[in-house]
Amino acid sequence: MTKKILIVDDDRYIRLILQKKFLSQGYNVFVENDGESGLELAKNEAPDLIISDWMMPKMDGLEFCKLAKQDEKLRFTYFIILTARDTQDDKVEGIETGADDFVTKPFNERELLTRVKAGLRINSLQKEIAELQHQKAITELAMTLGHEINNPLGVMMLVLQVLQKKDDNDAI
């Protein structure tokens, strides 16, 4: 299945560059120009990865990230903050808000693509772990139900054997 990437940036030029780059890599790409509409699109499309600018109108990238991570459908979506802000405090703030990675502008396209690929691998592994946990829970439930059903059946079989022996003894 083709991986979905959402790009949210108020700079049209950045959106076009990233859209073209990721489309050429075979990804399904969606774009928005602010966090508010980006969040709505993310809820509808459930992308595997989001790249968002920090400073945007209506809703900035950190608020967008925070709200996305609170959404059950989006909480495991890999989130990269893309920004011109590059102090250590900015990076810490971005990660503490819930971002999974932080890339400063101007960015190196090759580095960003590598980070995106790593993020998509992490996203795939998280989904795989969640599926394995789900399968394990179902198996444990089935075993518990089997045990709960077998216990009364075992007692009934024992009672039937005792009754059959009593019936056989009465026949003699």
Side-chain angles (χ1 to χ4, degrees), residues 14-44:
I14 297 285
R15 286 194 314 269
L16 289 173
I17 287 173
L18 294 178
Q19 182 179 31
K20 183 178 178 182
K21 182 68 172 176
F22 294 122
L23 283 172
S24 74
Q25 296 293 313
Y27 298 113
N28 193 358
V29 181
F30 304 92
V31 295
E32 278 298 343
N33 63 354
D34 65 74
E36 198 173 89
S37 45
L39 183 61
E40 286 305 311
L41 184 58
K43 287 179 179 181
N44 291 333

Side-chain angles (χ1 to χ4, degrees), residues 9 16 21 29 36 46 50 72 96 104 109 133 165 167:
D9 198 308
L16 289 173
K21 182 68 172 176
V29 181
E36 198 173 89
I50 297 171
E72 185 66 27
E96 284 180 343
T104 55
E109 284 187 33
Q133 288 174 332
K165 282 185 182 181
D167 192 39

